Amino acid sequence: AGGDRPAAKVIFDAAVEVRSPIAYATVIMVVAVLPAFFLDGLTGAFLPPLVVSYLLAVAASMLVALFVTPALSLLLLSRGSREPPLARLLQRGYQLVLAPIVNKPGRALAAGAAGLVVALLGVAMVPLLSQDLAPTFKDTDLLVRLNSAPGTSHPEMTRVTAQASRELRQLPGVRDVGAHVGRAVSSSDQIVGVDSSELWVSVDPSADYGGTVASIREVVGGYPGLDGEVLTYPKKRIDAVLGDAGDGLTVRVYGQDLEVLRSKAEEVRQAVAGVDGTANQQVQRLVEEPTLEIEVDLAKAQQVGIKPGDVRRAAATMLSGIQVGNLFEEQKVFDVVVWGAPQVRSSLTSIRELMVDVPGGGQVRLGEVADVRVKPALSVIRHDNVSRSIDVTASVSGRSLGSVAGDVEAALGNVQFPLEYHAEVLGNATDQQAAQRRTLAIAAIAALVIFLLLQAAFGSWRLATAAFLTLPMALVGGLLAVLATGGVLSLGALVGFVLVLGIAARNLVMLVSHFQHLEREEGEAFGPGLVVRGALERLSPILLTAVATALVLVPLLVLGNVPGQEILQPMAVAVLGGLVTATLLNLFVAPALYLRFGSNAERRLNAAQ
């Protein structure tokens, strides 16, 4: 304003001034999100596509800033422009607050120290957040899985499933219920028996989603002896593709003798219970069912001249059946099976009365040559690596799964196992430990690269160090907002933190670069006057960025956590909270830090020029 330079020259010089800072800030934003591409599991599946979209948006915004905005400025500002009244009002108020801070060295140092303290406070708040990076989509079609004890008959499972269907259909908010038991023989996508069933429950879109789901869970949990699970179809597909790692820890005990396995599993449970961060320690329940056992008495069988194999074959034929041929009729094949009549196998007495042929002629009762009894037997015998196994499970809270797994492995070293018996922490925990170490290593490399980029942008190690240490301050507001709304670090909140960090880094680089430009290009002497002038000139862009971003996200916050906003609503909470501390960082802490650490850098830049 008031100059004699052509508008094109002014716009060109302004574009050249911001070219390098924008490039550095963009590269910093790219490096900050690169570790997302090295994550595993559920986060590694969801986050990279979001990061790719973010990077494309950052690249597009840089092109707009470098090429489109100067062109529009040339078209719309060629006749000059004046500072808007609101901007002048904000600048006067900002100057009244900033000038006393930077004019006194003690206050400037206190402002910089406050930024460092707030940044450390943000780091200290991270352990207070509970992690749930799996987005819970509010799908109106729910899947209910019911699993009974192995060996449950098809009629019994059908009866239970039909009763559950009737109860669910009567709940307010439930629109439709469908069910099936077992699986199709040739076209099923899963392997289950007739002791398993699935119910598809449709929730009315106008109903209270949370209350309806809670009622469904209450009904499903009201069937003792059945393992019930309520989940959405997206959750089912996620579990099918990625595996349901869960937030718990599993220790598998290997061996051969069942009684020894049970004893050692209990010792392992006690060892796991002594590890800080574990709860609900349980030994896997081994389901047993009554089983008919026939044991041949060798002495009595020898007395009547019958072989043990003959006894077993005769009993197996009468009780289980034996295929003796095939019947062909109308191009269909039917198995011909010899089997005892129902009344023959209806009770232990009738089974003991079964007649077994003696090789020399005549018959003998089964009970006279064998012990017929009912005893409990495992309905499912679990093997892993050709060894029997029992799992010991525990939930993890208050600590990371990887750290708890490391302590559990150390505790297992105190449990004495017989030969050919041992225990292992299953892969979910060990894999997560390795993934965490790899992610931390990559994040450390990214942080080092960001620090070097800040040094290259500012030309000062001291400025780069101060900026690097205070950048986490921008996230403190987002962390407080997340804690105030439940304290759950979700995928949306994580994306919001990345966005806030990018905005803060870009504004910080632009602000410091503008300070350096004023001294190097416009001859402004280093001191409080330079800092106040540069901060006033960058006030409007910083505030406009924060306000525009907030206006976009406020509707998402007002709508709340409704279906379709499962990722966007937590992101809005994190961004809106983070914008507050990010703006305070750029407007008050950054000028104070530059006044404290920027002088030597400016002299070196002037000498080099």
Side-chain angles (χ1 to χ4, degrees), residues 291-296 348 352 370-375:
T291 304
L292 179 66
E293 182 178 77
I294 300 175
E295 183 180 3
V296 180
L348 284 178
R352 290 190 180 103
D371 184 14
V372 181
R373 58 182 178 267
V374 175
K375 63 174 296 185

Side-chain angles (χ1 to χ4, degrees), residues 181-494:
V181 176
R183 66 185 181 97
V185 175
S186 59
S187 60
S188 177
D189 62 344
Q190 54 189 338
I191 301 175
V192 295
V194 295
D195 53 10
S196 177
S197 66
E198 289 185 343
L199 296 90
W200 293 91
V201 183
S202 296
V203 179
D204 192 335
S206 60
D208 178 14
Y209 185 86
T212 304
V213 173
S215 301
I216 293 173
R217 295 185 188 276
E218 183 177 358
V219 170
V220 172
Y223 285 83
L226 269 70
D227 294 330
E229 183 181 17
V230 180
L231 65 163
T232 62
Y233 184 75
K235 181 68 168 69
K236 176 187 175 184
R237 296 310 305 156
I238 291 171
D239 292 346
V241 174
L242 299 177
D244 186 11
D247 59 352
L249 180 140
T250 302
V251 180
R252 181 160 294 173
V253 185
Y254 297 89
Q256 296 299 329
D257 186 85
L258 183 59
E259 293 304 321
V260 177
L261 270 178
R262 285 175 169 171
S263 174
K264 291 302 172 182
E266 178 60 27
E267 292 185 31
V268 169
R269 187 197 67 80
Q270 295 175 4
V272 172
V275 176
D276 185 27
T278 63
N280 301 322
Q281 304 85 7
Q282 295 180 352
V283 177
Q284 184 180 28
R285 182 168 57 94
L286 300 179
V287 180
E288 295 179 332
E289 58 185 3
T291 304
L292 179 66
E293 182 178 77
I294 300 175
E295 183 180 3
V296 180
D297 189 326
L298 297 180
K300 293 180 180 179
Q302 188 177 12
Q303 289 178 0
V304 297
I306 190 172
K307 297 178 180 179
D310 296 335
V311 178
R312 287 192 292 268
R313 279 189 293 271
T317 300
M318 298 299 289
L319 300 177
S320 302
I322 183 173
Q323 182 176 344
V324 297
N326 301 99
L327 175 64
F328 297 88
E329 183 178 342
E330 296 180 356
Q331 298 182 349
K332 299 177 182 177
V333 181
F334 299 91
D335 296 333
V336 179
V337 179
V338 175
W339 197 14
Q343 63 272 17
V344 174
R345 41 192 168 83
S346 60
S347 66
L348 284 178
T349 302
S350 62
I351 294 173
R352 290 190 180 103
E353 295 296 326
L354 285 176
M355 304 304 294
V356 181
D357 294 333
V358 177
Q363 293 179 321
V364 64
R365 290 182 177 86
L366 178 62
E368 296 178 1
V369 295
D371 184 14
V372 181
R373 58 182 178 267
V374 175
K375 63 174 296 185
L378 292 177
S379 57
V380 176
I381 300 177
R382 293 178 172 85
H383 285 80
D384 187 12
N385 293 331
V386 303
S387 294
R388 280 190 175 185
S389 63
I390 295 180
D391 289 346
V392 179
T393 60
S395 59
V396 177
S397 61
R399 298 177 61 194
S400 66
L401 180 60
S403 59
V404 172
D407 292 346
V408 168
E409 289 182 347
L412 292 178
N414 299 324
V415 180
Q416 300 296 325
F417 290 97
L419 186 64
E420 296 184 353
Y421 290 79
H422 70 283
E424 293 180 358
V425 179
L426 288 193
N428 288 338
T430 55
D431 292 347
Q432 184 168 341
Q433 278 184 297
Q436 286 179 346
R437 288 192 294 266
R438 183 175 64 254
T439 303
L440 289 176
I442 296 172
I445 295 174
L448 177 61
V449 173
I450 291 174
F451 175 72
L452 295 177
L453 287 171
L454 289 173
Q455 194 281 332
F458 301 152
S460 168
W461 292 103
R462 297 199 306 167
L463 272 178
T465 302
F468 183 79
L469 294 178
T470 53
L471 263 180
M473 172 187 169
L475 305 179
V476 174
L479 291 172
L480 291 174
V482 172
L483 284 173
T485 55
V488 178
L489 180 61
S490 63
L491 187 66
L494 192 61

Side-chain angles (χ1 to χ4, degrees), residues 1-22:
D4 55 355
R5 291 185 299 167
K9 175 63 175 173
V10 174
I11 294 171
F12 177 79
D13 292 341
V16 170
E17 177 189 349
V18 300
R19 178 184 57 189
S20 179
I22 285 180

Side-chain angles (χ1 to χ4, degrees), residues 567-584:
I567 294 180
L568 295 178
Q569 195 267 347
M571 182 192 73
V573 171
V575 173
L576 290 174
L579 284 176
V580 176
T581 48
T583 304
L584 293 176

